[in-house]
Amino acid sequence: MSESSFELEVLDVIEETGDARSVVLDPGEHREHFAYTPGQFLTVAVPSDRTGLVARSYSLSSTPVDDGPLTITVKRTPDGYASGWICSELRPGDRLRVLPPSGIFTPKDLDADLLLFAGGSGITPVMSIIRTSLARGSGRIVLFYANRDERSVIFGAALKELAAEHPDRLQVVHWLESVQGLPSQDQLRAFAAQYVERDAFVCGPAPFMAATVAALKELEFPRDRRHQEKFVSLGGNPFETAAEREPGADEDEPAAAPAGPSVHLQVELDGVDYEYDDWRPGTTLLEHLESKGVKAPYSCREGECSACAIRLLEGEVTMRANDVLEDEDLADGIRLGCQSEPASEKVRVTYS
Ligand SMILES: Cc1cc2nc3c(=O)[nH]c(=O)nc-3n(C[C@H](O)[C@H](O)[C@H](O)COP(=O)(O)OP(=O)(O)OC[C@H]3O[C@@H](n4cnc5c(N)ncnc54)[C@H](O)[C@@H]3O)c2cc1C
């Protein structure tokens, strides 16, 4: 089991709606590992008789400003394994194995004016952004919040309270499919057209996100003001340690021969410069840094979440998989550290 995962006590399980629960976790003595920015997520290990554990990411709905417990909010997915277990089985007093916060769906400036789009459980990271911006920032916030019907609205009462407390800063527009049907791209564009100078954040079911992002693109929101969080289930197990994953870690299995010539690598991470001469094709940037004992950020390890995003400053890499970066991100030099293998003699990257 990964040394960087922690067992946290479940302080409470709150019924938000018929099919959504907030799980309140105590970071306890591990608080320093659980500092987070609004919009980030935790990855939890859900026990399974079949596979040992199932890893799933859940966004934090709490705000870091009060130094309180960590809260994730989970909506039951039809036939979903982990969400079903969390909503039905988890009780206060239980312990949950958790990876520290991760993710880049987070405002760079809490004073910025924000245009937020949430569909269903997509409200979770958005709620943390709203709570934090209202408490610490000065910008104006408008939330377009789509749900199937009134009973499905998570955090309805909390949003009403916040909007009443901050009438000049927070406006919440509820869109109910039961009343108005699904929001179309044209309707989303007409709404967003009033706020084209703002930073946009979008989180929700895939069709809702696709329509909203298309509307923002029509309005020519630049990529750096268009943020999206995709809710997908992880296929792999980020709780395994690098040593457990290493092909040669098993004594009966010979270590894989290095593939290709060694590459000169320069990495800037958290203000520290690292330099190596032995990175090779066949090993990802994340694996190489881990083999050197460098704690580089990651979460899914599958090219799905962008917690490991880097910017390429020099040279080339190839990515094994990429389900999250858009063409504009690639053109800006953004790559995924967990998927990048060297493709030039010298590579220079930064995590900032
Ligand atoms: C960055 C990020 C943030 C997210 N934030 C949120 C959030 O805030 N709130 C939220 O609700 N969701 C969130 N999600 C989505 C969440 O991670 C899950 O995708 C979602 O809860 C569905 O997972 P599930 O296991 O319930 O369903 P599924 O993934 O659909 O479950 C079915 C899968 O489980 C497997 N399975 C079934 N039974 C077993 C078993 N006994 N043992 C092992 N495997 C089994 C099946 O083979 C199948 O692959 C987020 C996702 C990401 C990437």
Side-chain angles (χ1 to χ4, degrees):
M1 191 68 76
S2 167
E3 284 167 24
S4 58
S5 67
F6 300 88
E7 268 206 355
L8 305 188
E9 186 185 341
V10 175
L11 293 177
D12 204 359
V13 179
I14 301 164
E15 186 172 330
E16 300 288 358
T17 65
D19 57 6
R21 303 283 180 276
S22 284
V23 177
V24 185
L25 297 165
D26 181 8
E29 61 191 310
H30 309 300
R31 185 169 281 280
E32 65 180 296
H33 297 284
F34 285 90
Y36 63 101
T37 52
Q40 287 195 309
F41 60 87
L42 302 179
T43 299
V44 307
V46 170
S48 158
D49 290 341
R50 214 170 83 187
T51 59
L53 68 82
V54 173
R56 291 285 184 267
S57 300
Y58 291 103
S59 304
L60 288 147
S61 52
S62 48
T63 172
V65 299
D66 56 11
D67 269 344
L70 310 159
T71 303
I72 53 171
T73 302
V74 181
K75 184 169 177 173
R76 190 191 293 270
T77 299
D79 300 323
Y81 178 67
S83 60
W85 184 86
I86 290 171
C87 290
S88 304
E89 305 295 329
L90 200 61
R91 301 275 179 272
D94 289 348
R95 300 182 78 79
L96 204 53
R97 187 155 282 279
V98 182
L99 289 173
S102 190
I104 54 167
F105 185 71
T106 182
K108 285 188 189 66
D109 177 8
L110 289 177
D111 295 328
D113 290 343
L114 302 176
L115 169 59
L116 309 177
F117 289 92
S121 58
I123 191 64
T124 304
V126 167
M127 195 64 193
S128 182
I129 292 172
I130 292 174
R131 285 179 163 141
T132 310
S133 298
L134 289 176
R136 280 285 154 84
S138 58
R140 289 164 303 156
I141 303 168
V142 62
L143 167 65
F144 182 103
Y145 186 15
N147 278 286
R148 203 179 316 125
D149 51 33
E150 208 173 333
R151 281 180 317 157
S152 330
V153 179
I154 306 172
F155 301 130
L159 285 166
K160 191 173 167 186
E161 219 168 278
L162 287 170
E165 272 171 36
H166 302 272
D168 301 328
R169 294 191 53 206
L170 175 64
Q171 263 193 317
V172 180
V173 175
H174 287 281
W175 185 288
L176 299 181
E177 196 188 320
S178 56
V179 179
Q180 287 152 286
L182 288 168
S184 69
Q185 186 175 323
D186 287 347
Q187 289 168 316
L188 290 159
R189 188 192 58 232
F191 182 81
Q194 308 166 81
Y195 308 102
V196 289
E197 302 302 324
R198 298 194 179 192
D199 280 6
F201 287 78
V202 188
C203 187
F208 172 78
M209 288 192 45
T212 309
V213 169
L216 296 175
K217 283 183 177 171
E218 273 191 86
L219 293 167
E220 297 184 353
F221 271 71
R223 182 65 184 95
D224 63 341
R225 286 201 286 111
R226 190 160 38 79
H227 310 269
Q228 336 166 24
E229 187 75 299
K230 288 186 190 166
F231 280 4
V232 289
S233 288
L234 306 183
N237 176 10
F239 287 87
E240 270 179 9
T241 60
E244 283 163 358
R245 264 190 305 276
E246 200 71 42
D250 183 339
E251 281 177 15
D252 298 333
E253 205 182 311
S262 58
V263 166
H264 184 84
L265 170 67
Q266 280 176 278
V267 180
E268 193 270 321
L269 168 64
D270 291 337
V272 181
D273 292 318
Y274 300 92
E275 207 165 334
Y276 305 105
D277 270 320
D278 55 352
W279 188 27
R280 287 190 169 83
T283 307
T284 66
L285 175 66
L286 174 62
E287 288 164 349
H288 190 66
L289 292 176
E290 284 179 330
S291 74
K292 304 290 183 190
V294 177
K295 287 192 184 312
Y298 71 88
S299 185
C300 76
R301 307 188 77 102
E302 291 170 14
E304 286 173 349
C305 81
S306 76
C308 61
I310 51 164
R311 188 181 292 273
L312 200 55
L313 301 174
E314 196 181 331
E316 286 298 333
V317 296
T318 51
M319 284 195 287
R320 294 175 182 175
N322 167 32
D323 290 329
V324 65
L325 299 179
E326 295 187 15
D327 289 347
E328 289 153 291
D329 300 317
L330 299 174
D332 280 350
I334 310 294
R335 302 288 187 273
L336 302 172
C338 78
Q339 298 296 315
S340 292
E341 295 185 27
S344 60
E345 280 176 15
K346 186 174 179 190
V347 174
R348 190 157 66 91
V349 302
T350 176
Y351 276 88
S352 59

